Amino acid sequence: MERFSWDSGSFVRGPQVDRTYFPADFHEDIEAHRGEPGEECQYVPSGYSRPDYSALGPERTRYYLWWRARADAGVIDFPDEGYAWLYCRELLDSHEDPAVVLDRIVRFTVTCGMSLRLSPLVSSLAEDYALAHGLPPDRIPRGPPFMASEA
């Protein structure tokens, strides 16, 4: 489904938004794909900075599920911002204990450590999540991990 379209090329009026897709659908999509295993496949760029499952389509969703399984194992082959964003959204929407979710975000922060684009974003998310849930932020990595070894 095409989510946005330009109204006769008018940059004044901007994009026309598909009003049939609501955030509740996004949460339902997250629940539908929660725990779904990923199968090894060729890298496909997400193509978006803030995707949802409806925007990804089958090929990207298949790759995302593989990417997510690898991220859960502590490996990121391609630091794709769109997949990282969707992964973080899934963590934030989790019904797990907040301390468990923070542990997963911290592990993901470490996994993203060498990505200059992802590491600061995920580290900031971990700090915000800890603060919002009254959890101690002392285990959240500060700065890229290579800085300590270069000191």
Side-chain angles (χ1 to χ4, degrees):
M1 167 195 314
E2 185 69 34
R3 301 265 323 274
F4 301 98
S5 63
W6 290 100
D7 179 32
S8 305
S10 170
F11 291 101
V12 176
R13 287 185 279 191
Q16 298 299 307
V17 178
D18 178 357
R19 302 283 181 208
T20 62
Y21 188 86
F22 299 100
D25 298 334
F26 183 41
H27 297 290
E28 289 171 9
D29 288 346
I30 287 175
E31 287 303 316
H33 291 287
R34 191 176 307 282
E36 195 172 331
E39 297 177 12
E40 185 172 356
C41 57
Q42 186 87 11
Y43 173 66
V44 180
S46 67
Y48 299 90
S49 60
R50 306 289 182 265
D52 57 56
Y53 284 103
S54 72
L56 291 179
E59 186 178 12
R60 288 181 175 124
T61 297
R62 181 171 170 245
Y63 180 77
Y64 170 69
L65 295 174
W66 171 243
W67 185 95
R68 181 179 69 187
R70 302 275 292 155
D72 282 341
V75 178
I76 293 181
D77 298 316
F78 298 96
D80 189 296
E81 185 178 327
Y83 295 136
W85 184 85
L86 182 54
Y87 182 77
C88 289
R89 284 297 315 161
E90 289 180 340
L91 290 175
L92 294 175
D93 287 353
S94 171
H95 301 293
E96 293 180 279
D97 179 272
V100 172
V101 173
L102 181 60
D103 285 343
R104 292 184 69 195
I105 295 171
V106 167
R107 280 197 314 270
F108 189 54
T109 301
V110 172
T111 301
C112 293
M114 290 306 204
S115 170
L116 296 177
R117 285 189 358 219
L118 296 182
S119 184
L121 296 173
V122 178
S123 182
S124 177
L125 169 68
E127 291 172 354
D128 291 347
Y129 189 85
L131 180 65
H133 291 278
L135 299 169
D138 54 334
R139 295 177 307 113
I140 300 168
R142 304 283 194 264
F146 58 84
M147 292 177 76
S149 64
E150 292 177 347

